[in-house]
Amino acid sequence: MNFLNQQEQIQNGQITKTELITLLQASGSLQQQLFRQAREIRQRYHGDQVVVRGVIEISNYCQKNCNYCAMRATNQKLERYRLGVEQIFAIGTHIKEANIPIIFLQGGQDPHCDPILEEVIPRLKKELNLSVLLCLGEKPREAYQKFAELGADSYILKFETSSPSLYKNIAHTPLLRRLQCIRTLQESGFKVGTGNIVGLPNQTIDSLAEDILLALEIQPDFVSSSPFIPNQDTPLENLPYGDINLTLNTMALYRILLPSCLIPTVSALEKIQKGGQLMGLNAGANVLTINFTPAQCRDKYAIYSKQRFVVSLEHAQQTIKQAGLSSNSFKSPVLMSGGTP
Ligand code: SF4
């Protein structure tokens, strides 16, 4: 099967959901062919460079109550934290010193972070010359526009699932509102990232194919697929992990269908299987995120598990090398000898 022809077909609107469903379930030699095609397209559009970004998880407070996340508002077992301007800026200087060009500020949906961000974003831009990527949930248009005016470059808001009923059951808010936020972010001038979760309860293969079609409709700048991880102290804690092969196949299809997108190989892959992030790079991903959250806060940022896999500089370096790829970020002598603060 020639996926390049399929890419043209899909871009011309000629591929059916049935064909996507077949490719999502690819195994054995068909899967290897899918991954090979994804790597060829990555090479053509992005060369052998992996984009490295440094994440700071700035707050684990959240207004929402997603069933898969221990940071949900009603979880009283979780100790909450919120970083301040000086803490974020100080970690930003470590990210700069490590020669990482992108600072990724991630948090729960926490409006109390907004004034902190309004103060720190201009400093990260002007004093450290970092590219600022945000992932802070659904906010009013004015908040997004303010962040954009202050110099934030990009924003990730995953749609999680294209199924309105599944989304409502899990996140307890309408999918339409989330999709409207994604559109608002694009209209505000952000580069926008989105994506899905694989393995949600009652999710079907048909629904996963719809996820890919939704991503094509959104035309994001970054796109990701993450396996579901059952999270302690949540209503879904006893469910099985999402299927790693379905996740990798989704990533490869995103690469083939949205070739210029940045695609991360997420830490949840490594949580499910040792070497999972390398498998992600081999399926066409080209982004790795290194964790710079202060050690005393990391366990409290229970986005998919308290025992999540925390990506270190060394792990990222090794994974990129094993994939036969490289990163400009690793030319710094500081980075070669350093660790996360
Ligand atoms: S997934 Fe995000 S929005 Fe949902 S509860 Fe967790 S932090 Fe909040």
Side-chain angles (χ1 to χ4, degrees):
M1 191 177 297
N2 187 336
F3 298 110
L4 271 184
N5 287 345
Q6 289 213 321
Q7 183 194 358
E8 284 164 20
Q9 283 178 326
I10 293 166
Q11 283 170 347
N12 293 332
Q14 291 169 345
I15 197 156
T16 63
K17 193 160 75 180
T18 311
E19 287 168 302
L20 274 179
I21 288 171
T22 303
L23 295 171
L24 273 170
Q25 296 175 104
S27 63
S29 60
L30 183 62
Q31 187 185 40
Q32 289 314 311
Q33 201 185 339
L34 179 67
F35 292 167
R36 199 163 42 245
Q37 193 77 61
R39 290 195 297 272
E40 280 171 21
I41 288 170
R42 179 186 61 202
Q43 182 65 30
R44 193 170 345 133
Y45 281 79
H46 304 274
D48 67 355
Q49 285 294 305
V50 174
V51 173
V52 174
R53 43 196 197 194
V55 66
I56 312 174
E57 289 142 346
I58 63 171
S59 166
N60 70 352
Y61 286 91
C62 189
Q63 296 173 311
K64 285 189 72 173
N65 216 24
C66 304
N67 284 0
Y68 48 75
C69 177
M71 284 159 43
R72 59 207 309 270
T74 56
N75 181 10
Q76 303 202 338
K77 292 188 183 165
L78 188 69
E79 197 186 323
R80 306 282 171 165
Y81 75 89
R82 183 182 298 118
L83 301 184
V85 172
E86 293 310 325
Q87 281 171 297
I88 296 170
F89 186 78
I91 303 167
T93 61
H94 289 294
I95 291 174
K96 180 74 181 175
E97 283 163 14
N99 203 31
I100 294 173
I102 305 164
I103 185 166
F104 180 10
L105 304 178
Q106 188 173 32
Q109 195 165 296
D110 176 12
H112 293 290
C113 283
D114 292 8
I116 296 167
L117 289 158
E118 287 172 18
E119 210 177 317
V120 81
I121 290 171
R123 290 184 60 192
L124 296 169
K125 293 293 296 182
K126 288 185 193 133
E127 296 176 45
L128 300 180
N129 194 26
L130 288 167
S131 177
V132 175
L133 165 63
L134 305 174
C135 179
L136 304 159
E138 298 161 29
K139 290 186 181 285
R141 177 181 287 268
E142 301 69 43
Y144 289 148
Q145 286 175 340
K146 181 85 182 170
F147 294 152
E149 280 162 22
L150 292 171
D153 302 273
S154 36
Y155 200 109
I156 293 174
L157 191 65
K158 292 175 71 166
F159 56 78
E160 319 288 16
T161 170
S162 56
S163 161
S165 56
L166 182 52
Y167 185 84
K168 185 81 199 257
N169 282 342
I170 289 213
H172 312 291
T173 53
L175 177 62
L176 186 60
R177 185 195 300 169
R178 200 153 181 94
L179 296 177
Q180 282 165 343
C181 283
I182 292 173
R183 198 54 74 204
T184 303
L185 286 162
Q186 289 177 317
E187 287 166 2
S188 303
F190 284 105
K191 286 188 174 168
V192 170
T194 193
N196 68 336
I197 298 177
V198 172
L200 294 169
N202 303 317
Q203 190 178 38
T204 61
I205 193 77
D206 185 90
S207 177
L208 285 173
E210 292 278 359
D211 290 355
I212 294 173
L213 294 172
L214 177 57
L216 286 176
E217 205 180 311
I218 292 170
Q219 286 291 307
D221 300 283
F222 329 132
V223 67
S224 70
S225 188
S226 310
F228 167 76
I229 310 270
N231 201 335
Q232 207 183 331
D233 304 326
T234 69
L236 306 183
E237 66 183 330
N238 294 320
L239 290 185
Y241 285 115
D243 186 300
I244 194 164
N245 283 303
L246 265 181
T247 312
L248 293 168
N249 290 352
T250 306
M251 291 167 66
L253 284 164
Y254 280 148
R255 168 57 66 219
I256 292 166
L257 302 175
L258 292 164
S260 58
C261 267
L262 295 181
I263 300 180
T265 180
V266 298
S267 64
L269 291 168
E270 198 75 33
K271 166 80 182 170
I272 287 192
Q273 187 167 329
K274 190 169 166 26
Q277 286 189 294
L278 175 61
M279 293 164 86
L281 290 179
N282 288 337
N286 67 335
V287 178
L288 258 163
T289 302
I290 297 172
N291 197 302
F292 282 79
T293 304
Q296 68 273 20
C297 299
R298 280 181 205 154
D299 290 350
K300 298 175 195 149
Y301 198 81
I303 187 86
Y304 65 75
S305 166
K306 279 185 188 169
Q307 287 85 38
R308 66 200 168 111
F309 185 82
V310 175
V311 180
S312 66
L313 290 168
E314 292 73 18
H315 170 78
Q317 277 178 305
Q318 202 182 11
T319 304
I320 291 170
K321 195 172 163 201
Q322 284 172 338
L325 300 169
S326 61
S327 171
N328 286 334
S329 296
F330 293 142
K331 286 178 184 158
S332 159
V334 175
L335 186 63
M336 294 307 282
S337 60
T340 50

